[in-house]
Amino acid sequence: MSTAPNPPARFEGSYLGDAARLPADARLECKICWWVYDPAVGDEVWQIPPGTPFTALPAHWRCPECDGDAEQFMVIAEDAPR
């Protein structure tokens, strides 16, 4: 029986931290402040141009509203209003 401690649980959004599961046009919402990253719009604060998929954001990118980590974002259903 292993006695190694389990790593701390962390929320990884509905894509489970696996960026390969995200389509290029996927919109994601911050679970902390509900800010939406829409690749069609990009992110003015971080100077991310329109057309940049969530999976192509730089590793240091964080929510421009609350500074939440990118892994804390949840996928928005495709049929949700924009």
Side-chain angles (χ1 to χ4, degrees), residues 18-61:
D18 182 1
R21 297 176 62 184
L22 294 174
D25 63 346
R27 294 167 52 231
L28 289 93
E29 182 174 69
C30 178
K31 76 167 190 139
I32 299 168
C33 71
W34 311 114
W35 183 83
V36 173
Y37 179 79
D38 185 341
V41 177
D43 177 359
E44 199 172 277
V45 173
W46 284 88
Q47 300 177 356
I48 305 296
T52 304
F54 190 82
T55 56
L57 294 173
H60 63 275
W61 183 88

